[in-house]
Amino acid sequence: MRLLAALLLLTSPGLAQSRPRARDLGVPFDGTPAPLNAITDVAGVTVGHSTIIAGQGKLVVGQGPVRTGVTAIFPRGATNGDPVFGGWFTLNGNGEMTGTTWLEESGFLAGPVMITNTHSVGIVRDAVIDWLVRKGFEFDWSLPIVAETWDGSLNDINGFHVTKEHAFAALDSARGGPVAEGSVGGGTGMICNQFKGGIGTASRRLPADRGGYTVGVLVQCNYGSRGRLSIAGVPIGQEIPDLLPCRDSIPGAPRVGGGRRCDDAEKGSIIIVIATDAPLLPHQLKRIAKRAALGVGRLGGTGGNPSGDIFVAFSTANPGAAKPDANVTVTMLPNERISPLFEATIQATEEAIVNAMVAAETMTGINGMRVYALPHDRLRAALRKYNRLVEPRR
């Protein structure tokens, strides 16, 4: 098997969506999205993906099959090195997000936020520093933010297929506008609620009397149990209990027709990136990051023991706040006005996760492991059964 013979490298965040988004299917959500319903609705935020899909059949470590990638999120775009105020939170810590010790200490996030697979964090971290040097950014040291979720059910994760060039491709392709979702970038080999998962995004815009601020969320979802999956209050996991991830042999897993075995164990993680233009300080952004957990909980997530649920939030307000050579005046939203942003974060997180599952397509990876896409027709049927489907206007 020649790895490069089947290489697919996607480097455009605005790649046309071949599948509808959750709202297009009639899934009801609370709140009002901004025009793109994406993290890029926050002015200045850009996103890039690098996707690697190669090979099929039996796992041969170092050769494949490969189902992985890298996603890059810039708070102020790739050419603007002005740090942003940031904060982070971990719901359950079986995961990694580098750079968070200094983020917690300093309150500033400098450079992009990167997401990849568990065993590629190191190469992506080093690549970010190399990329910044090549682009002419001046600094004595750098502690990039790089997060991960595990894609080893579908991907030859121990083959270390993500290279510095893949990270560069994600960084160089970062753009504003629509964001590709599903099995792209770091989300390529991910599984969410035992359906195919990956990258998803959504946004909310507050009304003018609440500040008119925008909150955007991007998730890499790779977590959850089918039995607890709830969408718009409907027990989707109970309505669609079949189509579990299956391969030729998973010891101890329930056997299904045709001699295949299906995996019904909960495992995995979720990374959530939250952007806003509201003038929030680091301690307030940590509070925002915590609320993402409630969005995960709306869908049935519990932050179980094997899960790495790590969230980071940043604000694009207060440009120049990190100037080192003079006192700086900054603007802060009063705590008494922050609750609508909490609500917006919860709503956008919930929708971003559903968007990831709706966009993802059925994928077969190592050793014939097949992970099924959330079937749109059955999702709509379940929503209709519980009187939750939003029918199109005629």
Side-chain angles (χ1 to χ4, degrees):
M1 176 178 64
R2 293 183 58 84
L3 178 62
L4 295 180
L7 178 64
L8 172 62
L9 178 63
L10 304 177
T11 57
S12 173
L15 190 73
Q17 296 276 137
S18 60
R19 290 164 70 84
R21 305 185 77 191
R23 284 175 183 260
D24 300 327
L25 298 180
V27 181
F29 295 103
D30 298 329
T32 302
L36 296 171
N37 198 13
I39 194 172
T40 47
D41 281 310
V42 178
V45 176
T46 59
V47 177
H49 298 303
S50 177
T51 302
I52 318 165
I53 298 175
Q56 57 186 346
K58 183 180 178 180
L59 170 64
V60 179
V61 175
Q63 297 184 35
V66 185
R67 308 284 188 269
T68 195
V70 185
T71 292
I73 304 104
F74 285 96
R76 301 192 192 276
T79 62
N80 189 335
D82 185 16
V84 292
F85 282 134
W88 77 291
F89 172 72
T90 177
L91 176 64
N92 195 69
N94 190 9
E96 181 64 277
M97 182 181 284
T98 67
T100 49
T101 302
W102 182 235
L103 174 61
E104 181 81 12
E105 183 77 14
S106 69
F108 284 107
L109 190 161
V113 176
M114 309 293 288
I115 320 177
T116 187
N117 76 63
T118 306
H119 293 179
S120 297
V121 169
I123 188 70
V124 172
R125 176 197 176 279
D126 293 348
V128 171
I129 300 174
D130 191 356
W131 185 90
L132 292 170
V133 170
R134 295 185 187 205
K135 294 296 181 179
F137 290 91
E138 296 183 2
F139 50 84
D140 293 325
W141 49 268
S142 178
L143 296 169
I145 302 288
V146 182
E148 55 75 29
T149 59
W150 186 80
D151 58 15
S153 290
L154 286 164
N155 174 52
D156 173 23
I157 193 169
N158 291 327
F160 303 104
H161 297 281
V162 172
T163 67
K164 184 180 293 186
E165 287 68 31
H166 294 124
F168 287 174
L171 292 159
D172 288 333
S173 70
R175 300 289 187 274
V179 177
E181 299 176 296
S183 302
V184 294
T188 299
M190 302 305 167
I191 302 169
C192 192
N193 295 294
Q194 296 174 288
F195 287 115
K196 186 66 187 70
I199 298 293
T201 189
S203 68
R204 291 296 184 271
R205 180 161 290 170
L206 300 187
D209 63 355
R210 295 190 172 188
Y213 302 117
T214 299
V215 174
V217 171
L218 183 142
V219 305
Q220 180 164 297
C221 68
N222 188 54
Y223 80 98
S225 165
R226 176 70 61 81
R228 287 196 301 271
L229 174 60
S230 175
I231 296 178
V234 175
I236 298 299
Q238 297 176 34
E239 294 293 324
I240 314 176
D242 54 330
L243 300 180
L244 292 171
C246 292
R247 74 170 103 208
D248 290 336
S249 178
I250 300 178
R255 186 178 298 275
V256 296
R260 294 175 63 81
R261 291 179 179 268
C262 292
D263 186 1
D264 62 355
E266 178 181 1
K267 54 189 174 185
S269 307
I270 184 168
I271 299 298
I272 302 177
V273 182
I274 306 148
T276 185
D277 55 9
L280 302 179
L281 299 187
H283 69 285
Q284 295 176 307
L285 288 161
K286 189 178 188 73
R287 298 180 73 195
I288 291 287
K290 290 179 179 180
R291 269 59 187 187
L294 298 177
V296 176
R298 280 190 173 188
L299 297 169
T302 63
N305 180 68
S307 194
D309 313 288
I310 310 177
F311 318 139
V312 62
F314 61 81
S315 168
T316 59
N318 290 304
K323 290 180 180 178
D325 53 0
N327 290 343
V328 176
T329 299
V330 298
T331 301
M332 184 190 87
L333 188 75
N335 282 330
E336 287 72 18
R337 297 178 59 196
I338 201 172
S339 291
L341 294 171
F342 291 163
E343 186 175 7
T345 300
I346 297 165
Q347 293 170 353
T349 298
E350 176 187 20
E351 185 167 0
I353 294 169
V354 181
N355 277 337
M357 290 189 290
V358 166
E361 299 186 48
T362 297
M363 177 177 285
T364 301
I366 61 173
N367 296 326
M369 168 64 94
R370 174 165 292 186
V371 182
Y372 294 92
L374 173 64
H376 295 177
D377 56 345
R378 294 177 67 181
L379 171 62
R380 285 174 53 84
L383 292 169
R384 184 179 291 112
K385 175 180 176 180
Y386 288 82
N387 296 315
R388 294 292 288 152
L389 182 68
V390 178
E391 298 286 3
R393 294 181 180 179
R394 298 185 183 276

